[in-house]
């Protein structure tokens, strides 16, 4: 069964303290892996799409990487405004065209 | 370029009632997907519409139904509401479903069932 697991569930960082969020996935084939940021009560905001192992994408303090079994979202020198839930989703090659989401990592950055 | 919009923002219904949620796709997108997100969980796929036809469905009962209109806007209808239907309902639009186009989400509709 296709599955996405994110860790940790929650993370508290001091401002400037870099860290990484993990997304491990089990799918028969991967069409794409997606990272979103979600603020409380709002819709997910698109961050990155990764298609193949070895691919990396960067945006400001965020960098996403992809291997055959997992993806990492690296946050460098985070600021309080980076506090949010970060969601990972995969789109399998087989079956329907849905995204399968993890439960997210709740990030809190303290000033 | 306008993003994905949803209405209403919030909705309160009682058990057994019916509800209709609406979504306007991002300009240039012809595929719409609906997701249900319970508190503290990731979004769960309900169904997808492409050119007015249902294109895929998740593990939701038939009382969850939808429509897509010629302008690619969409509706989600839920009949016989249950308490567990309380959630954030998200609409996402994308380009051709056969591609790996990214889905872009709207702000969501918060449904509370009492």
């Amino acid at each position: 069964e296709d599955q996405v697991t994110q860790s940790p569930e929650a993370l508290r960082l001091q401002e400037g303290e870099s860290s990484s969020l993990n997304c491990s996935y089990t799918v028969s084939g991967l069409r794409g892996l997606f990272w979103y940021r979600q603020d409380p009560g709002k819709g997910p905001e698109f961050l990155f799409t990764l298609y193949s192992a070895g691919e990396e994408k960067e945006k400001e303090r965020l960098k996403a990487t992809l291997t055959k079994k997992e993806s990492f979202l690296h946050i460098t020198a985070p600021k309080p405004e980076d506090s949010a839930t970060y969601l990972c989703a995969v789109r399998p090659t087989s079956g329907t065209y849905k995204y399968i989401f993890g439960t997210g990592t709740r990030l809190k950055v303290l000033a | 370029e306008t993003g994905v919009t949803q209405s209403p923002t919030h909705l309160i219904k009682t058990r057994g009632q019916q509800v209709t949620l609406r979504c306007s796709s991002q300009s240039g997108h012809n595929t719409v997907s609906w997701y249900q997100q319970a508190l503290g969980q990731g979004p769960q796929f309900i169904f997808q519409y492409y050119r007015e036809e249902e294109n895929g469905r998740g593990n939701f009962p038939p009382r969850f139904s939808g429509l897509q209109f010629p302008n690619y806007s969409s509706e989600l209808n839920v009949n016989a509401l249950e308490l567990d239907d309380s959630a954030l309902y998200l609409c996402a639009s994308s380009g051709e479903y056969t591609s790996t186009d990214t889905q872009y989400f709207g702000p969501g509709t918060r449904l509370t069932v009492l």
Side-chain angles (χ1 to χ4, degrees):
Chain A
E1 182 183 346
D2 299 329
Q3 194 170 339
V4 175
T5 303
Q6 291 189 246
S7 63
E9 289 187 10
L11 183 62
R12 291 168 68 94
L13 299 173
Q14 292 294 322
E15 185 173 3
E17 180 186 2
S18 301
S19 188
S20 296
L21 313 182
N22 178 261
C23 170
S24 61
Y25 60 92
T26 305
V27 291
S28 52
L30 183 70
R31 288 183 74 104
L33 183 141
F34 308 86
W35 282 98
Y36 291 87
R37 170 196 168 123
Q38 186 174 30
D39 293 308
K42 303 287 180 64
E45 174 190 344
F46 170 70
L47 294 174
F48 303 109
T49 303
L50 301 167
Y51 295 107
S52 57
E55 191 173 358
E56 299 182 351
K57 294 269 180 77
E58 281 190 73
K59 178 181 179 180
E60 296 180 355
R61 295 178 292 282
L62 300 176
K63 178 180 177 180
T65 62
L66 180 64
T67 72
K68 288 188 177 180
K69 291 298 179 187
E70 58 190 0
S71 177
F72 293 92
L73 185 65
H74 307 278
I75 304 177
T76 302
K79 299 182 177 182
E81 54 261 41
D82 294 323
S83 298
T85 295
Y86 290 85
L87 293 166
C88 171
V90 299
R91 184 178 168 189
T93 54
S94 61
T96 64
Y97 303 98
K98 65 182 179 182
Y99 282 20
I100 300 168
F101 278 86
T103 54
T105 293
R106 295 188 312 278
L107 174 66
K108 177 73 172 178
V109 182
L110 305 172
Chain B
E1 179 181 291
T2 56
V4 180
T5 60
Q6 293 186 243
S7 62
T9 305
H10 296 91
L11 206 51
I12 299 175
K13 292 287 188 178
T14 56
R15 199 169 43 181
Q17 286 189 311
Q18 178 267 342
V19 68
T20 297
L21 310 182
R22 295 178 175 83
C23 170
S24 291
S25 302
Q26 184 167 313
S27 176
H29 287 175
N30 56 20
T31 303
V32 174
S33 302
W34 285 92
Y35 292 81
Q36 179 195 67
Q37 187 177 24
L39 205 59
Q41 300 298 313
Q44 297 292 314
F45 177 73
I46 303 174
F47 44 55
Q48 182 181 85
Y49 278 83
Y50 172 69
R51 295 190 176 180
E52 304 176 59
E53 296 288 330
E54 187 179 293
N55 191 41
R57 189 176 185 93
N59 295 324
F60 282 82
R63 60 189 185 85
F64 285 79
S65 63
L67 283 172
Q68 187 181 31
F69 300 100
N71 65 356
Y72 305 130
S73 65
S74 179
E75 286 183 354
L76 165 65
N77 299 289
V78 187
N79 294 321
L81 284 167
E82 301 177 359
L83 297 180
D84 285 348
D85 295 334
S86 295
L88 181 68
Y89 287 84
L90 296 163
C91 167
S93 74
S94 57
E96 294 291 321
Y97 72 91
T98 52
S99 75
T100 50
D101 274 6
T102 298
Q103 293 186 1
Y104 293 90
F105 285 82
T109 292
R110 170 69 62 187
L111 173 64
T112 302
V113 182
L114 302 176

